[in-house]
Amino acid sequence: MKVDNFIFIFALLALAFSLAVAPDPAPLNDFCVAPTDLKSAEIVNGQICKDPEQVKADDFFYSGLNKAADTNNRIGVNATLLTVEEIKGLNTLGIAISRIDFAPGGVNPLHHHPRSSEIFTVLTGILFAGFVTSNPEHRLFAKILRPGDVYVFPQGLIHFQENIGKTHAVAIAGFNSQNPGVVTEANTIFGSVPPIRPEVLARSFQLKEETVTFLQNQEWVNP
């Protein structure tokens, strides 16, 4: 009986400890402000669930990822990102996928995914891709990628891809979040609304204020 009591108490302590150290769910939004009333509340970290009896095969389906996106823009890149918004069956599964099209010379500019790591597979073309580690090292890990090559970008780290070939390039990216988020560094910094004070950016990037003002007046394109 004493042994049974000991096992029971140990199990309770283990359960209490596991509950105490259990982390919060990873956020799927940029922020979550507590509402002052229920009318202003919304669902976060996922969407409400559909009645299982009403679920159809089409809830897990998307057609068209084989179609090339228009790369006729200032960066020569266009991404087709499929999240829970496009495939409702992704809700709570923690995955998403993207097709990235590159014109010759196209650059998927410096960006990061705040809620996901990325596994990147080249289908056609030749790409130069890499990521930079956080403070204080700032190490660059980069490689030339060819069809069939796979590269991984860790969650939250700034990364990029450049089409260094002479033909159109296509890659597929997988994410371990149903809403990975994309923060394009230049767009965020120089294209914020309202704009960040030029003095702040000039000191941060060691630039002249007129250079900052010039950059803030540019048209920043999201991939």
Side-chain angles (χ1 to χ4, degrees):
M1 181 64 69
K2 291 182 179 180
V3 173
D4 291 340
N5 288 340
F6 175 80
I7 294 175
F8 177 73
I9 294 172
F10 180 82
L12 287 178
L13 290 174
L15 176 61
F17 178 78
S18 65
L19 293 175
V21 300
D24 289 334
L28 292 174
N29 301 75
D30 289 339
F31 49 78
C32 178
V33 178
T36 55
D37 59 83
L38 293 179
K39 293 182 179 179
S40 63
E42 67 174 38
I43 303 296
V44 297
N45 274 16
Q47 301 182 2
I48 58 176
C49 297
K50 190 175 184 179
D51 182 347
E53 295 297 326
Q54 302 298 319
V55 171
K56 301 178 180 179
D58 283 345
D59 292 324
F60 305 92
F61 174 78
Y62 176 90
S63 180
L65 206 60
N66 61 316
K67 298 177 182 178
D70 184 10
T71 57
N72 185 25
N73 54 49
R74 297 185 68 175
I75 59 176
V77 171
N78 202 333
T80 304
L81 177 62
L82 303 182
T83 69
V84 68
E85 295 300 323
E86 291 74 29
I87 305 177
K88 296 304 182 183
L90 289 180
N91 193 34
T92 74
L93 298 185
I95 56 174
I97 191 171
S98 178
R99 169 182 171 142
I100 306 100
D101 287 273
F102 299 81
V107 173
N108 194 4
L110 297 169
H111 65 282
H112 70 275
H113 305 288
R115 297 179 285 274
S116 177
S117 297
E118 175 181 349
I119 185 165
F120 182 87
T121 304
V122 179
L123 300 183
T124 63
I126 304 174
L127 300 174
F128 178 65
F131 65 88
V132 181
T133 62
S134 57
N135 297 353
E137 291 86 2
H138 304 145
R139 292 185 62 192
L140 171 64
F141 292 87
K143 284 186 70 68
I144 293 176
L145 306 177
R146 293 178 170 82
D149 289 347
V150 177
Y151 208 62
V152 173
F153 304 109
Q155 179 174 343
L157 295 188
I158 293 174
H159 57 281
F160 63 89
Q161 300 101 29
E162 176 191 10
N163 184 356
I164 60 175
K166 297 181 179 180
T167 62
H168 189 88
V170 180
I172 293 291
F175 305 93
N176 61 335
S177 170
Q178 68 188 47
N179 186 18
V182 181
V183 179
T184 305
E185 315 308 325
N187 301 27
T188 303
I189 293 167
F190 296 107
S192 67
V193 180
I196 300 172
R197 284 172 54 84
E199 297 89 338
V200 174
L201 298 181
R203 181 63 65 87
S204 298
F205 291 94
Q206 302 181 41
L207 298 172
K208 294 181 179 180
E209 287 188 22
E210 52 265 34
T211 303
V212 170
T213 302
F214 170 80
L215 291 171
Q216 289 180 319
N217 289 330
Q218 300 307 301
E219 179 184 355
W220 295 99
V221 178
N222 291 321

